[in-house]
Every structure is written in structure tokens, then in C-alpha cells.
Amino acid sequence: MSKPLSQEEIDALLGDADVEEQEAPTGGAGDEQDAQAEKEKQAQPYNFKRPRLFSQTQKRILNQVHESFARDLSVYLSAQLRTIVDVSLTAVDQVLYSEFVMSSAPPSALYVLREDELEYRSIFEIDPRLVVYTIEKLMGGDGQLMDKSREVSPIEQRIMSRVMKRAYRKLEESWQKAYELSVEEVAFESNAEFVQIIPAAEPALVASFDVRVYDEPSFINICYPYLMLEQMLGRSGMEQWISSSTTAVEPEVRDRYEDTLRETEVNLSAELGRTVLPMTELAQLQEGDVIPLDRETDDPIRIFVNGEQKFEAVPGRSGRQRALRITAAESPENVEFDSLTPSPDHDPEHAQDEHTDGTDGAGSAAGAAERE
């Protein structure tokens, strides 16, 4: 026979059952909390007042540009100063221009740079202690970084200008694959509050460099206005940089791409000319009226592909069918729309109507459309 349970054993069993019942709902709540915590981990905070203006691809390109500049500048300074100068990129951050101004404690050495083709200016900031150290080394002294910064004198600025010009050339070479940068120094300031290249609330990009001489820390900062980089990053050179960094396309893949492109349908339209008619004349039009256009009879006809001008052609016939012979290829950047067009958007249906109704063949009224 089985041994009967004592009262203590019965109480212990009942106590374990109560504990399990109490833990069951607690465990469910714990699972919900864990799920909520996991969702919070996946969600990332976003400040709509300070949106992220640079994509991951653009940030990667900016990092590559300034890492290349850091390497080249490190080699140049080490050769000029006859000592090891380590320059490394620490961060490329998007900030407000007011934050950059507040982070620059006077006295400092701020070189204002101008790019030839852009209306915005950038700032090349260098630690004044590094400026004095560089001048001392160039003049034959032992050189030692000072404990405290002091303002750079005009004579020291003139001596340092040769080094800074070489630094600007290194910066241009680093940007060469992405943009043909050409900078020129236009001003020098020791206080960032006196340099107002953009409004304080405008975004900017700051590339920060750590400079070490004999393990003594120093710094270099380059501040670009966002609107300046927006113009630079949109150039075709940036696209070429990105495409050159990708792997080569296999021949089979290229063949599939070409086959797909050959099968792609596009809307092709020809435009004989344009004109503007008052509503009174438009209402009085009758069959047989001639509408003068803005084109001469010997002017080429514009050919549009999906609404964008791509070619120029002359009208003619191919057998019994009307035809156009392409005479030139137009670049979209060179297309100038006349004042008769309210916007550069082209209406393919309108152009197709003009081509159909405009003329019977090659020598008949390329500069006027006759309705029959």
C-alpha cells in the first residue's frame, strides 16, 4: 500500500499549485512586455525639425572623400615637418551652422574658401596651436605644441599660406572623382561668430579630423553648407564614382538587359511647330484655314521620346508612308523651350495630333499646318 501523505506534504503540494497559478498570468504579461520592448528596439527616433538630409550612399561617398584627404594630408605634413604627423577622419556629421559656430572656441584659425562654380562658401578650420607648430618647424625650430591657443598673427598667416594652398590642392584631388572642386581662399578669421557663410538655422556638414604630432592631439574641421553639397552631390561625377565602385556586369546579364531594352516601348512623337491663338480666332477656324507656326520651312522637326526632346529630323517619305529622317541628337540639358510654351512639359498626344494633321509629305508646309 502507498504511504499516506502527511499534512505538511499536503500543504506543500497545495502551495506549489498556488504558485503555478500565480505565475501563469505573470508569465503572459512578461511575454507582452518582451514583445513591446522588442518593438521599441526596432523603432528609431526621428526628429522632424532636423531631418536626415544625406542618404547612406552619400555618407559613404563623403567618408571616402575625406578619408582620402586625411591620408594625403598626413603624407604631405610628415614630409614638410620632418616628423610623423597622423591625420585621421573621426566623423562626418550633419549639424546646424549655429552648432558649428558654438563648437569653435576663439581664438581659432578659420580659412573661408570659395568654389568657382558655386555661390556658397565653406570653412577650413585648423587648430591655431598646429599652425604655430607648423611655422616653427618650417623656420628650422624644434617645434612644440603649445598648451593654450593664441591668435595667429598676419605674418604667420602669410607664412602658413603656402602650406594651406597645398592642403586645398589635396582636398581638390580627393573630390576629383565625385566633383571637379576648385577652391580659393578669400578670408581669414579667428572668431567663428564673424564668419556668416549661411544663416544660423541652416544645416551644414562638418568633417572632423584628429591630428596627432608626437601623440599630442590637435584637430582640423571642414564645414560645408548643405545647399553647397546638394549641388555637388547631384552631379554626374558622383554617379560615375558609385558605378565605378560596383562590380562588372557579366556578359549574360548584359545581354538580358539589352534584350529587355529592345522590347521596351516608348512614346515617340514629332512636333511640326507651335503657336498661340486668341479664343476669338480659335472659335472662327474653318476647314481649309492655314495656321502659321513658329517654325520656318527649313527648320528641323523636334522629336520627343516620352515627352523629352531627344532628336531633330527632316520630314519625308519611305515608300508610301510618311517618315522622318534623324539628323541630330539633342541633349536634354541643351534644350531651350520657346516662350510660347508655358512649361517644359511636352504633351505627346498634342504633338501626335500636330504630326498627323500637319502635312501630307515632305515639301508641303513644314512651317504651317493646314487643316483639311
Side-chain angles (χ1 to χ4, degrees), residues 253-265:
V253 178
R254 178 180 291 274
D255 292 340
R256 290 200 300 268
Y257 288 164
E258 292 179 355
D259 293 340
T260 303
L261 287 175
R262 291 191 184 98
E263 296 175 358
T264 303
E265 296 183 358

Side-chain angles (χ1 to χ4, degrees), residues 198-213:
I198 53 175
E202 289 291 325
L205 187 89
V206 178
S208 303
F209 301 88
D210 179 57
V211 182
R212 290 192 173 270
V213 182

Side-chain angles (χ1 to χ4, degrees), residues 21-226:
E21 292 178 356
Q22 294 176 0
E23 289 180 350
T26 306
D31 295 339
E32 293 179 359
Q33 293 177 358
D34 294 341
Q36 184 67 21
E38 186 66 23
K39 291 181 180 180
E40 292 178 356
K41 289 181 180 179
Q42 296 176 358
Q44 297 181 356
Y46 187 88
N47 187 352
F48 287 93
K49 293 183 178 180
R50 299 182 59 180
R52 302 184 187 96
L53 302 176
F54 298 95
S55 65
Q56 294 298 326
T57 301
Q58 291 173 335
K59 286 184 178 180
R60 183 168 63 252
I61 298 302
L62 290 169
N63 282 327
Q64 293 177 5
V65 168
H66 293 95
E67 285 174 357
S68 174
F69 171 69
R71 291 192 299 268
D72 295 343
L73 186 63
S74 178
V75 172
Y76 169 69
L77 291 179
S78 298
Q80 290 295 313
L81 305 183
R82 301 178 301 279
T83 186
I84 297 177
V85 180
D86 185 18
V87 182
S88 59
L89 178 67
T90 57
V92 178
D93 297 325
Q94 176 188 326
V95 299
L96 297 179
Y97 182 67
S98 59
E99 296 175 343
F100 169 74
V101 172
M102 289 187 293
S103 65
S104 178
S108 186
L110 302 167
Y111 296 86
V112 183
L113 308 180
R114 179 184 62 195
E115 212 285 328
D116 293 340
E117 298 183 357
L118 305 177
E119 56 180 326
Y120 299 98
R121 300 184 179 185
S122 57
I123 297 177
F124 194 108
E125 179 186 14
I126 184 171
D127 188 353
R129 300 183 304 132
L130 182 60
V131 173
V132 175
Y133 171 81
T134 301
I135 294 173
E136 289 182 358
K137 291 290 289 183
L138 292 176
M139 295 295 102
D142 296 334
Q144 186 176 1
L145 286 176
M146 300 180 298
D147 295 334
K148 293 184 179 180
S149 301
R150 67 169 177 82
E151 193 168 336
V152 180
S153 66
I155 296 178
E156 291 171 334
Q157 296 175 26
R158 294 291 300 273
I159 299 174
M160 189 66 181
S161 62
R162 181 174 64 88
V163 178
M164 296 306 299
K165 288 180 180 178
R166 290 297 300 271
Y168 304 151
R169 303 293 85 80
K170 297 297 182 183
L171 183 62
E172 292 172 355
E173 293 173 3
S174 301
W175 272 102
Q176 187 172 9
K177 292 183 179 179
Y179 181 81
E180 292 293 335
L181 188 68
S182 177
V183 296
E184 178 186 1
E185 180 183 327
V186 294
F188 176 87
E189 288 290 346
S190 59
N191 192 336
E193 293 183 356
F194 299 149
V195 184
Q196 193 70 20
I197 59 174
I198 53 175
E202 289 291 325
L205 187 89
V206 178
S208 303
F209 301 88
D210 179 57
V211 182
R212 290 192 173 270
V213 182
Y214 296 122
D215 292 332
E216 292 290 334
S218 185
F219 68 88
I220 291 175
N221 295 321
I222 304 178
C223 177
Y224 304 92
Y226 167 71

Side-chain angles (χ1 to χ4, degrees), residues 259-327:
D259 293 340
T260 303
L261 287 175
R262 291 191 184 98
E263 296 175 358
T264 303
E265 296 183 358
V266 296
N267 191 351
L268 184 66
S269 59
E271 182 183 272
L272 299 181
R274 302 184 183 186
T275 188
V276 174
L277 291 178
M279 288 297 298
T280 54
E281 295 185 13
L282 186 62
Q284 297 175 1
L285 283 179
Q286 298 179 2
E287 183 178 350
D289 290 346
V290 176
I291 303 175
L293 303 180
D294 63 330
R295 315 284 292 178
E296 300 293 337
T297 55
D298 56 349
D299 287 345
I301 294 177
R302 297 171 179 174
I303 306 298
F304 292 84
V305 179
N306 284 347
E308 295 186 6
Q309 183 177 344
K310 296 293 185 180
F311 307 102
E312 290 183 350
V314 293
R317 284 187 178 274
S318 177
R320 295 184 177 181
Q321 296 181 345
R322 300 174 184 175
L324 294 170
R325 180 166 58 87
I326 302 298
T327 59

